[in-house]
C-alpha cells in the first residue's frame, strides 16, 4: 500500500545557472576590487566595481527574460551586492585616502575608519530594507540611493582623482573623501526617491532624441571616462533630492488648492 500523500511540496532541487553566473561574476569583480585596493591599484579597483555594476544589472534582466527568477537568486544577489557595492568601495576608500587621515592626528584617524564603516553599514541596511520591500514598493522609484549608484559615485571620484585630479590637492582630497563616503552612505538609508529605470522604456520605441543623446554620452565617455562617469553619478545623486523636494512642493500645493476649494464652497 502506498503511503498517503501529505500534500507538502518538496523544495526544488538545484539552482538556475545563467543568472547566478552573472551574480557570481559581479561578486568576483567586487572581491577583485578589494584585492586591487589593498595592492594600491586604485584605478583597477574602481573599474572592477563598475564591471560589478554592469554584471549586477544583467543578472536580474537575464532572470526575468529567461523565467529563471528564484528566492535563492534574490538572496544571493543581495549578498553579492554587499560585497561589491558595500565592502569593496568602503575598503578601497579607506586604503586610498581615509587611512591617511591618521597623519593629522589620532582623532582624524578615527574619522577615517568611521567614515568607511558608516558607508559599509548603510549599504547593508539599504539592501536589507530593499529585500523587505520587494513586491510592495513602487518599481519606478528607489527609496534611498541604490547601492550600485552609491558605489559608482565613490569609485568614479577615486578614478577621476587617480587619472589627473579634480583640482584637489592631496590634503584637500583627504578631507573631502570622508564627506563623500558619509553622504553616499546616508543617502542609501534616506527616504529620498530616485528614478529606478526599471519601468523604462515603456515600449520598444523611444523618441529620436535619445539616439544622438546616447551618441554624445558615448563620445564623452571615450574622451574622458572617469570624469564623465563622475559627472553622471553626481547628477543622478542630486536628482533624488531635487525630485523629492519637487514632489513635496507639488503635494503641498495640491492640499492648499483642495483646502481653498472647500472653504469657497
Amino acid at each position: 500500500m502506498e503511503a498517503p500523500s501529505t500534500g507538502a511540496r518538496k523544495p526544488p532541487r538545484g539552482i538556475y545557472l545563467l543568472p547566478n553566473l552573472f551574480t557570481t561574476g559581479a561578486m568576483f569583480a567586487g572581491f577583485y576590487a578589494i584585492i586591487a585596493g589593498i595592492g594600491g591599484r586604485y584605478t583597477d579597483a574602481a573599474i572592477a566595481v563598475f564591471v560589478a555594476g554592469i554584471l549586477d544589472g544583467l543578472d536580474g534582466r537575464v532572470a526575468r527574460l529567461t523565467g529563471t527568477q528564484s528566492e535563492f537568486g534574490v538572496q544571493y544577489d543581495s549578498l553579492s551586492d554587499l560585497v561589491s557595492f558595500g565592502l569593496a568601495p568602503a575598503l578601497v576608500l579607506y586604503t586610498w585616502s581615509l587611512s591617511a587621515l591618521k597623519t593629522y592626528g589620532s582623532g582624524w584617524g578615527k574619522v577615517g575608519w568611521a567614515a568607511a564603516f558608516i558607508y559599509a553599514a548603510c549599504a547593508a541596511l539599504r539592501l536589507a530594507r530593499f529585500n523587505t520591500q520587494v513586491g510592495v514598493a513602487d518599481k519606478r522609484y528607489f527609496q534611498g540611493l541604490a547601492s550600485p549608484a552609491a558605489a559608482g559615485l565613490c569609485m568614479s571620484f577615486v578614478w577621476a582623482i587617480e587619472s589627473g585630479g579634480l583640482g584637489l590637492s592631496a590634503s584637500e582630497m583627504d578631507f573631502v573623501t570622508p564627506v563623500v563616503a558619509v553622504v553616499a552612505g546616508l543617502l542609501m538609508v534616506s527616504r529620498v526617491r530616485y528614478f529606478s529605470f526599471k519601468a523604462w522604456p515603456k515600449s520598444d520605441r523611444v523618441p529620436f532624441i535619445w539616439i544622438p543623446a546616447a551618441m554624445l554620452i558615448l563620445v564623452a565617455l571615450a574622451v574622458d571616462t572617469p570624469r564623465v562617469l563622475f559627472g553622471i553619478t553626481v547628477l543622478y545623486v542630486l536628482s533624488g533630492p531635487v525630485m523629492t523636494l519637487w514632489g513635496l512642493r507639488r503635494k503641498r500645493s495640491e492640499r492648499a488648492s483642495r483646502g481653498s476649494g472647500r472653504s469657497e464652497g
Side-chain angles (χ1 to χ4, degrees), residues 154-264:
C154 295
M155 294 299 96
S156 62
F157 176 70
V158 172
W159 193 0
I161 295 292
E162 285 292 301
S163 66
L166 293 170
L168 296 175
S169 64
S171 60
E172 290 172 337
M173 181 189 71
D174 290 340
F175 290 100
V176 170
T177 303
V179 175
V180 173
V182 172
V183 168
L186 295 179
L187 282 174
M188 281 191 282
V189 296
S190 70
R191 298 181 64 85
V192 175
R193 292 204 313 173
Y194 285 91
F195 191 65
S196 69
F197 299 103
K198 290 185 177 181
W200 188 88
K202 295 182 179 180
S203 67
D204 294 334
R205 294 178 177 271
V206 296
F208 176 77
I209 189 62
W210 286 105
I211 301 301
M215 178 186 65
L216 290 175
I217 292 173
L218 290 174
V219 171
L221 285 171
V223 172
D224 195 339
T225 304
R227 289 181 181 81
V228 172
L229 282 176
F230 181 66
I232 291 173
T233 55
V234 167
L235 288 175
Y236 180 71
V237 168
L238 293 176
S239 71
V242 171
M243 185 168 60
T244 300
L245 292 173
W246 180 76
L248 291 173
R249 182 178 179 183
R250 186 177 63 177
K251 287 181 180 178
R252 285 198 208 98
S253 62
E254 289 176 354
R255 284 197 297 265
S257 62
R258 285 197 296 267
S260 61
R262 284 194 297 267
S263 62
E264 289 175 1

Side-chain angles (χ1 to χ4, degrees), residues 103-170:
T103 60
Y104 301 96
S106 60
W108 282 110
K110 293 177 182 178
V111 169
W113 65 255
F117 174 74
I118 288 171
Y119 177 90
C122 288
L125 291 169
R126 168 71 176 81
L127 292 166
R129 184 178 67 181
F130 178 80
N131 286 347
T132 61
Q133 294 177 341
V134 171
V136 178
D138 189 344
K139 291 185 178 180
R140 296 175 300 171
Y141 303 100
F142 290 127
Q143 182 179 336
L145 184 64
S147 57
L153 172 67
C154 295
M155 294 299 96
S156 62
F157 176 70
V158 172
W159 193 0
I161 295 292
E162 285 292 301
S163 66
L166 293 170
L168 296 175
S169 64

